[in-house]
Every structure is written in structure tokens, then in C-alpha cells.
Amino acid sequence: MSKQINVALIGNPNTGKTSVFNALTGLNQKVGNYPGITVEKKEGICKLPRGVKAHIIDLPGTYSLNASSLDENVVIELLLNKNDKDFPDVAVVVSDVENLKRNLLLFTQIKDLEIPTLLVINMADRMKYKGISLDIDYLEEQLNTKIALISTRKKEGIEDLKQLITNYKD
Ligand SMILES: Nc1nc2c(ncn2[C@@H]2O[C@H](COP(=O)(O)OP(=O)(O)OP(=O)(O)O)[C@@H](O)[C@H]2O)c(=O)[nH]1
Ligand SMILES: [Mg+2]
């Protein structure tokens, strides 16, 4: 039997989680230029290298794991229930490149739950325009995580992300 892993896409509102979901699964869930587009859990499948199959879960945006809205409860309920059939083997935290610092609060909270975590920094296409540069090796070391710098808009970095998901235990 081929191996299947649960992957949850988690992040602040409007960082591009659903865009990543669509890129990974080939589905076409609604994307929009304001926060709160995704209101419930969506699921899809992504075929990864080495015959691994990923069950991808797109979630509503959340700023933290301190529940303050219904949408955030969906995320908290999933992450705090190890018996949930969708409980992630790996949490992919999606940040946008312009708000990285703010997004790291949620990243840290998920790491504290000791769920294997990857960090996606999306919207890399905005870096030049915004004059942002990042030292990914340094960030990986400081945050003790693997990072995929991607742009779903330019379709860049998606294969790297698939590779990181495949190797999430390394
Ligand atoms: N410039 C740029 N914009 C992007 C990129 N990826 C997504 N976006 C835009 O960011 C906005 C939010 O995208 P979504 O995928 O809906 O974001 P989300 O995190 O799922 O949003 P919520 O479900 O509301 O939390 C949309 O306007 C996208 O077109 C990217 O790589 N570059
Ligand atoms: Mg969404």
C-alpha cells in the first residue's frame, strides 16, 4: 500500500493558503483579495515524489491559536485533537513575505505543540518591488525549520515545497 500523509495548511488570513492548496492539488477553491475567504476545511490530494500521497487540508486563516472567532476554532479543534482523522503529520505554515514577523507568532505556537512543521514564505514575487531580501539558510537555522520560498502567482517553488513535504521527517 502506498503511504499517505496528512498535511494541514495553516496561516494568517490572506497569506495565500488556498492558492498553495490549489497549486498542490490541482483543485480550484475560491481565492480572494481580502481575509476570511476560506470559512471551512477543504480537502484534496497531492501526489508527491517516491509514491507518497498527501492528503492536503486547507483551513480558514487564523492569527493565533488563542480562539477568538469561529473560524479559528476549526483550526484549534483540529490541532488539539490527535484522534481527528485529519490530524496533521505535518503542519505547513503559510506566511506572506511582507508580514513574516507577524506570521511567526502562529508558527511558534504550532511548533510548541510539537507537530512537525514547515514554513512556506509565499508571494516571493513581491520581494523585489518591496525591497525585501531574506537569508533563508539563516532563518531555517534560527527557526529550526525547513523553509520553502515560493510564489503561487509565478508558479515558483512548488516542486521544492513538495520535496520538503515528502521529506518532512528529515
Ligand atoms: N503577489 C502574489 N499574490 C498572491 C500569491 N499567492 C496568493 N496571492 C494573492 O493573495 C490573496 C489571498 O489568497 P488566498 O489564497 O485566498 O489566501 P488565503 O490565505 O487562503 O486567505 P483566507 O482563506 O481568507 O485566509 C489573493 O488575492 C491571491 O491572488 C503570490 O504568490 N503572489
Ligand atoms: Mg483560503
Side-chain angles (χ1 to χ4, degrees):
M1 213 178 88
S2 70
K3 204 178 131 194
Q4 177 157 327
I5 54 175
N6 276 341
V7 179
L9 300 173
I10 304 170
N12 288 180
N14 215 32
T15 57
K17 296 174 297 299
T18 301
S19 303
V20 173
F21 176 85
N22 288 341
L24 290 175
T25 61
L27 296 175
N28 195 17
Q29 289 296 331
K30 191 175 171 203
V31 162
N33 191 24
Y34 51 91
I37 296 279
T38 306
V39 292
E40 55 185 38
K41 203 162 73 177
K42 298 281 180 196
E43 306 175 36
I45 292 288
C46 175
K47 281 194 181 144
L48 295 170
R50 293 197 262 119
V52 181
K53 216 161 93 179
H55 172 236
I56 315 275
I57 302 144
D58 186 22
L59 289 160
T62 182
Y63 285 107
S64 76
L65 296 184
N66 319 327
S68 61
S69 80
L70 255 163
D71 290 353
E72 295 185 344
N73 276 333
V74 177
V75 177
I76 291 165
E77 259 172 32
L78 175 63
L79 294 184
L80 296 187
N81 183 6
K82 282 198 169 136
N83 296 322
D84 193 308
K85 68 170 177 35
D86 292 334
F87 186 81
D89 296 298
V90 55
V92 173
V93 177
V94 181
S95 169
D96 65 285
V97 74
E98 290 181 52
N99 299 297
L100 184 55
K101 207 168 162 189
R102 184 188 71 198
N103 282 265
L104 289 180
L105 166 65
L106 181 63
F107 172 82
T108 310
Q109 287 185 324
I110 292 169
K111 268 224 147 212
D112 285 347
L113 294 175
E114 296 184 345
I115 299 170
T117 305
L118 299 172
L119 180 62
V120 166
I121 305 176
N122 185 31
M123 308 195 192
D125 55 282
R126 303 275 295 159
M127 291 174 72
K128 205 170 166 194
Y129 173 69
K130 285 279 170 178
I132 299 169
S133 64
L134 291 175
D135 183 339
I136 297 295
D137 290 343
Y138 177 79
L139 282 173
E140 285 188 328
E141 204 178 300
Q142 291 296 312
L143 299 171
N144 185 25
T145 190
K146 296 277 192 205
I147 298 177
L149 180 63
I150 75 169
S151 165
T152 63
R153 182 152 298 174
K154 299 259 188 225
K155 298 189 166 54
E156 285 167 2
I158 307 295
E159 291 309 313
D160 293 346
L161 172 58
K162 288 185 185 174
Q163 202 70 51
L164 289 188
I165 295 172
T166 311
N167 300 329
Y168 76 93
K169 278 187 180 141
D170 299 352

